[in-house]
Amino acid sequence: MNKNLYHVLGVSKDASDTEIKSAYRKLARKYHPDLNKDNPDAAEKFKEISCAYDILGDKEKRKKYDNNEIDADGKPTGFGAGFGGAGSDGYRTYTYTGDNPFGSAGGFDFSSIFGDDIFSQFTGSRNSGFQGFSGASSRRPRKGEDIAYTMRIDFLTAARGDEKTVSINGKNINVKIPAGTSDGQTLRLKGLGQPSFNGGPAGDVLITLNVDKHPYFSAEGNNILMELPITVKEAVLGAKVTVPTISGKVIVNIPPYASSGEKLRLKGKGIKTNSVAGDEIITLKIIAPKTANPELEKALRAMPDETVRNF
């Protein structure tokens, strides 16, 4: 056999053990004879990919294969004679009988490849020709696979909550985004994932929400935080200033002689969850004029000096 085992599994030669295992699992599910009873070539393909994984999924065999010590059948090439293995010649022997690509090849641990006995998903195993899986059809139905999906939403949608429609596997799904959603939060939509192979419940859709940053809002629990720039005049004399909230604009009073870092609290203007509303907390930041102002300079020079530092 001159075939390239990496090509059989559809991976590169420098693929990791995890990538090889993942590729095998996908192909084994795709070509399993119990799921391809109308495809006479599926059993042979299943045998081919399983033989490839038997070598590439074993670190020692993969090393020998990469070093050309064994061929794609696992047979010594002349450099590997004498190495022990599943058989006396250093490679595992498969017996093909009928539509069973492994026959009585005992010792091949499918559960180590598919996880928690995925072959219990396949019904009719007793008559499929696969010896050693005759009890699979009597096992409890298994849940279908979950579908992972990532959705990007803006800050206000996350803060206020909303409903979005997404298309997954050709199906439109309405997703209710709760108020106060945080970046990286995952929503679980029960029963909207992949169907089960043998009558079990469908899997779920797991939607991870990535929240965009806002130009001036941020969230801290149910509170909305923002920094409010004010002029020197507004800081000294006080002022009425229009400020945004996540639910619209409001007017706030800047107290006279305000300092940078002082905070104003707008009750109930934060995130509302379960009938509880957070606040909007505004931090004042005095911004000096960008251009020269001789009158302001004259007034400031006329003011008495004050001590504001304790160091």
Side-chain angles (χ1 to χ4, degrees), residues 228-274:
L228 178 64
I230 60 175
T231 66
V232 173
K233 181 178 179 179
E234 290 170 334
V236 174
L237 301 180
K240 293 182 180 295
V241 180
T242 300
V243 298
T245 73
I246 63 172
S247 56
K249 294 181 178 180
V250 298
I251 295 177
V252 298
N253 290 317
I254 307 298
Y257 295 97
S259 298
S260 280
E262 286 190 25
K263 299 182 186 299
L264 306 177
R265 183 181 295 268
L266 304 182
K267 296 289 291 184
K269 291 299 183 180
I271 297 170
K272 297 177 175 65
T273 58
N274 299 323

Side-chain angles (χ1 to χ4, degrees), residues 6-308:
Y6 292 100
H7 292 171
V8 172
L9 295 183
V11 297
S12 63
K13 189 173 181 180
D14 59 355
S16 66
D17 294 342
T18 299
E19 290 172 330
I20 289 175
K21 184 175 182 178
S22 176
Y24 171 64
R25 292 172 112 176
K26 291 178 182 177
L27 291 172
R29 288 189 181 100
K30 180 178 180 180
Y31 291 105
H32 190 283
D34 279 355
L35 300 178
N36 295 273
K37 294 181 179 179
D38 296 331
N39 182 3
D41 298 326
E44 188 62 31
K45 182 66 175 178
F46 186 73
K47 174 186 175 183
E48 181 183 47
I49 61 179
S50 297
C51 290
Y53 182 75
D54 184 54
I55 292 176
L56 299 185
D58 183 293
K59 291 185 179 180
E60 291 300 320
K61 290 182 182 179
R62 182 183 180 183
K63 182 177 180 181
K64 293 178 184 178
Y65 177 73
D66 290 343
N67 291 335
N68 200 31
E69 296 176 19
I70 59 174
D71 62 17
D73 284 323
K75 298 178 181 179
T77 60
F79 299 98
F83 285 92
S88 60
D89 52 3
Y91 64 97
R92 190 184 302 264
T93 301
Y94 297 94
T95 303
Y96 179 56
T97 57
D99 61 349
N100 176 357
F102 291 102
S104 56
F108 193 89
D109 185 6
F110 289 95
S111 64
S112 68
I113 308 305
F114 289 94
D116 184 18
D117 195 8
I118 194 169
F119 283 95
S120 65
Q121 295 179 6
F122 304 125
T123 58
S125 295
R126 183 180 300 277
N127 298 320
S128 68
F130 280 84
Q131 303 174 24
F133 301 108
S134 59
S137 61
S138 65
R139 297 179 181 174
R140 62 181 176 83
R142 291 178 58 88
K143 176 184 174 183
E145 290 189 1
D146 294 338
I147 297 175
Y149 185 85
T150 300
M151 180 190 300
R152 182 167 291 281
I153 58 176
D154 62 82
F155 180 90
L156 293 179
T157 295
R160 297 185 300 214
D162 202 351
E163 187 169 305
K164 298 287 187 181
T165 300
V166 297
S167 180
I168 300 177
N169 282 1
K171 181 167 55 177
N172 289 334
I173 299 175
N174 291 329
V175 181
K176 291 184 178 180
I177 300 169
T181 294
S182 57
D183 184 51
Q185 184 174 334
T186 298
L187 305 179
R188 180 182 293 271
L189 307 183
K190 299 280 292 183
L192 297 181
Q194 300 287 10
S196 169
F197 281 115
N198 65 341
D204 304 330
V205 171
L206 304 177
I207 298 182
T208 300
L209 300 173
N210 292 336
V211 180
D212 289 333
K213 292 185 179 299
H214 194 273
Y216 39 85
F217 288 140
S218 62
E220 186 178 80
N222 276 20
N223 291 333
I224 292 293
L225 310 180
M226 73 163 290
E227 190 173 73
L228 178 64
I230 60 175
T231 66
V232 173
K233 181 178 179 179
E234 290 170 334
V236 174
L237 301 180
K240 293 182 180 295
V241 180
T242 300
V243 298
T245 73
I246 63 172
S247 56
K249 294 181 178 180
V250 298
I251 295 177
V252 298
N253 290 317
I254 307 298
Y257 295 97
S259 298
S260 280
E262 286 190 25
K263 299 182 186 299
L264 306 177
R265 183 181 295 268
L266 304 182
K267 296 289 291 184
K269 291 299 183 180
I271 297 170
K272 297 177 175 65
T273 58
N274 299 323
S275 301
V276 177
D279 303 329
E280 179 169 324
I281 300 174
I282 298 173
T283 301
L284 301 180
K285 182 179 181 181
I286 300 174
I287 304 298
K290 298 299 183 183
T291 58
N293 188 327
E295 291 186 5
L296 175 61
E297 295 174 15
K298 181 179 179 180
L300 292 174
R301 289 192 182 97
M303 292 176 58
D305 292 336
E306 293 184 74
T307 300
V308 295

